[in-house]
DNA sequence: TTCATTGTTTACCTATCAGTACAGAAAGCA
DNA sequence: TGCTTTCTGTACTGATAGGTAAACAATGAA
């Protein structure tokens, strides 16, 4: 047969996209088979734990991506300003100017929050933490840097919500631009 | 029997709460009967259109509340500053410092977005519009007021996401306080 | 006190859900 | 070539989903 020699690594992005579009509850196995081209047999071969294990794997892959592409650069960059700029650019691309939902944020709002509470908490905690480190140079205290980081992460999440609701990607870009420029403006102080 | 002489007005808040907690997809009729104490028969008597009509009614009641409690005061207040302050206070209470989700925002992110797209769009469009009017005094141009309004509404939504994800209501309060104080700080300029 | 209206209970319908069982095909290795 | 491991299709399960039908109880006006 059409034995596609599927590997977990290949189907994870597809899986992630389905969960992003439909949430955890809204993603049925039939949607998954449709999106991945894999039958139930294959899916349960790779993920014996079913839907929940699939979501855990997706969350882990998201975590890995953000850790390497966003969090680590923020923490270790020689120039924090450049790293923060890079973060804004990466985020704009990743979330397709708000047309692509943040799966972790969505999960946190939804019914299945409790099931993945720890992964959700860690994702946002790491983001705030890494960004706060990059912001330390700019702020009087570590606490101020932390609060500023909270504002920016919340601003990004809110920009997704608003841009999706209004169906207006330009709203997303405007909000991110403003946060980014308010940032660089401070260097003149 | 226990004829509770139910009225639509009485069960709408209960309905709203169930939808808020579980989303549209996640809210099953059995959850609804449980939360309202009404059987399917009664529910379909009040809402012949089923779940969808229930959600439409809930959205309409939310719309009404925000229109009278938030949007109109923002637009018509003698003192916009006071009205904006009142908005922050009302929002903090309404969303219980981020422990209570914004149903409209959640819907916008989730699978059932298309079904209620127009109501979702209008809710946020009205919010931004009303807030922009209250902010006009503070900004150079109407466009700047609008952009600032977008930032604040997005900030509120993001604060909900972040506070829920971190399970930390104080994060919500901090972010709102900061936005509110940045606002009043400008009057000194 | 009749009687239509309004509200409620109960039983039932079909579709779909997540998950399981298992036979069997492809692939890798000998 | 054989044989084992890895993968896949099909058929099934029990549970629950949203929704329907209709008999029936409470209510309020005549």
């Amino acid at each position: 047969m059409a034995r596609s020699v599927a590997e977990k690594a290949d189907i994870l992005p597809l899986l992630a996209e389905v969960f992003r579009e439909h949430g955890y509850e809204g993603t049925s196995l039939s949607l998954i088979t449709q999106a991945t081209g894999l039958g139930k047999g294959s899916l349960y071969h790779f993920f014996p734990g079913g839907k929940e294990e699939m979501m855990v794997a997706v969350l882990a892959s998201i975590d890995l991506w953000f850790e390497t592409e966003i969090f680590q650069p923020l923490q270790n960059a020689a120039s924090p300003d450049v790293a923060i700029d890079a973060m804004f650019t990466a985020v704009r691309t990743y979330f397709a100017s708000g047309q692509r939902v943040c799966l972790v944020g969505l999960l946190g709002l939804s019914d299945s929050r409790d099931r993945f509470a720890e992964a959700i908490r860690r994702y946002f905690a790491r983001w705030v933490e890494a960004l706060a480190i990059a912001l330390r140079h700019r702020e009087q205290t570590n606490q101020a840097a932390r609060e500023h980081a909270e504002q920016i992460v919340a601003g990004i999440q809110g920009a997704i919500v608003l841009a999706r609701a209004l169906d207006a990607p330009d709203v997303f870009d405007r909000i991110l631009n403003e946060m980014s420029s308010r940032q660089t403006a401070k260097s003149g102080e």
Side-chain angles (χ1 to χ4, degrees), chain A:
Chain A
M1 292 272 167
R3 179 63 172 269
S4 44
V5 195
E7 287 187 29
K8 257 183 162 176
D10 297 328
I11 60 176
L12 260 172
L14 300 171
L15 223 41
E17 213 49 40
V18 186
F19 279 127
R20 237 187 293 269
E21 281 167 29
H22 303 96
Y24 181 71
E25 309 270 331
T27 299
S28 64
L29 286 197
S30 78
L31 271 174
I32 296 176
T33 58
Q34 201 176 311
T36 59
L38 290 163
K40 280 191 184 184
S42 306
L43 289 170
Y44 276 85
H45 171 71
F46 289 117
F47 307 97
K51 235 173 86 170
E52 180 157 348
E53 189 177 334
M54 295 179 208
M55 179 57 98
V56 167
V58 164
L59 287 176
S61 80
I62 290 175
D63 209 74
L64 179 65
W65 190 90
F66 272 83
E67 193 63 46
T68 58
E69 301 291 326
I70 312 263
F71 305 159
Q72 290 297 336
L74 279 175
Q75 289 183 138
N76 305 328
S79 161
D81 290 357
V82 175
I84 293 171
D85 260 11
M87 177 195 82
F88 278 117
T89 303
V91 160
R92 200 175 345 235
T93 307
Y94 184 85
F95 294 120
S97 292
Q99 299 185 275
R100 199 164 172 236
V101 156
C102 174
L103 177 56
V104 191
L106 171 58
L107 272 184
L109 293 181
S110 72
D111 206 7
S112 30
R113 177 174 81 128
D114 296 348
R115 214 187 281 234
F116 310 105
E118 186 45 35
I120 297 168
R121 211 211 87 262
R122 196 178 48 240
Y123 171 86
F124 282 108
R126 279 290 295 132
W127 197 343
V128 170
E129 182 191 21
L131 182 53
I133 290 174
L135 285 168
R136 273 202 301 236
H137 310 252
R138 297 281 176 91
E139 303 286 343
Q140 312 276 356
T141 64
N142 285 356
Q143 177 61 17
R146 205 200 134 69
E147 288 181 19
H148 191 185
E150 284 171 354
Q151 291 156 26
I152 289 177
V153 174
I156 292 169
Q157 293 294 315
I160 296 173
V161 173
L162 195 55
R164 285 266 304 185
L166 297 175
D167 197 20
D170 56 304
V171 171
F172 183 91
D173 292 334
R174 267 204 298 275
I175 293 173
L176 257 70
N177 282 339
E178 200 279 337
M179 289 194 296
S180 159
S181 67
R182 187 188 317 160
Q183 186 40 39
T184 46
K186 273 197 177 175
S187 31
E189 288 178 15

